[in-house]
Amino acid sequence: KLQIAVLKAESPEINIKLPQPKEHVKKAPDSFNQKDLRKKLALVLAPIISETEGLSLHVENGKVNLVKGEVPLLWFNDIHILIDNISKQLKVDLTCQSNLWKGLSLKSHLDLTTFRADGRIDLSCLRPDMMPDYILPKTALKVGDSEVNLNLAFKTDLKKEL
């Protein structure tokens, strides 16, 4: 039996074409059931997690572009990711730059047996005025040319209500 221990990607570039907007039709929002969402996620993720036990994923100098027509709306460069799935512990370390911020650092840990997670997100020079309308509508909040630093530590138990 052969088991892959490390997957490594150097300088991958991914371009995702966003769909063209459709006519805006107001529809009643679907009800959101957190328990159903957790169950569906568990069904999808359980086989992936069990099959990737012991696997380490490395991405160095990656790029992701979200493109609308021929224009990149959002881009993420200098992406570095290290994900380890060892002994039912999932560890994620991610850094990147974007047209939305100068730097992002995400470090997190998820216990795959208890589904408790903790981590830290650091955003440097977040540019809210660069956010696309579907994330932060310009009519909802007037944000001028500004930069914000954001540091967030988190802990959660994914088995409990959010």
Side-chain angles (χ1 to χ4, degrees):
K1 181 176 178 180
L2 176 66
Q3 183 174 359
I4 297 172
V6 177
L7 287 177
K8 188 172 184 179
E10 293 182 14
S11 302
E13 185 167 346
I14 299 170
N15 292 302
I16 301 170
K17 292 191 178 209
L18 298 173
Q20 294 298 323
K22 296 179 182 176
E23 279 188 37
H24 186 67
V25 177
K26 285 202 172 193
K27 149 182 157 175
D30 295 333
S31 63
F32 179 73
N33 186 325
Q34 293 174 3
K35 286 182 182 179
D36 286 346
L37 177 62
R38 281 196 302 273
K39 286 178 186 176
K40 289 176 184 176
L41 280 174
L43 286 173
V44 170
L45 294 177
I48 295 169
I49 290 169
S50 68
E51 290 298 319
T52 59
E53 173 69 31
L55 181 67
S56 184
L57 171 67
H58 301 250
V59 175
E60 294 181 10
N61 198 31
K63 293 181 181 181
V64 174
N65 298 303
L66 301 178
V67 181
K68 191 171 189 179
E70 299 298 317
V71 180
L73 289 181
L74 299 174
W75 54 261
F76 306 90
N77 289 339
D78 199 25
I79 300 170
H80 295 270
I81 303 171
L82 175 58
I83 300 174
D84 290 317
N85 180 2
I86 300 170
S87 302
K88 305 290 184 201
Q89 306 293 314
L90 187 66
K91 293 181 183 175
V92 177
D93 190 346
L94 164 82
T95 61
C96 74
Q97 297 175 351
S98 172
N99 59 328
L100 299 178
W101 55 72
K102 286 186 182 173
L104 165 79
S105 172
L106 165 70
K107 295 182 186 303
S108 67
H109 168 264
L110 172 63
D111 184 316
L112 298 171
T113 57
T114 64
F115 290 100
R116 289 189 175 131
D118 62 76
R120 182 170 179 86
I121 301 171
D122 295 308
L123 273 168
S124 61
C125 300
L126 173 65
R127 301 175 190 112
D129 58 303
M130 298 293 291
M131 298 268 185
D133 277 346
Y134 55 86
I135 295 174
L136 181 65
K138 295 191 183 351
T139 57
L141 182 63
K142 301 291 183 198
V143 178
D145 186 15
S146 61
E147 292 183 346
V148 176
N149 292 329
L150 175 67
N151 303 302
L152 175 70
F154 63 89
K155 285 186 179 186
T156 185
D157 185 341
L158 298 175
K159 285 188 175 180
K160 294 184 179 178
E161 292 292 323
L162 296 175

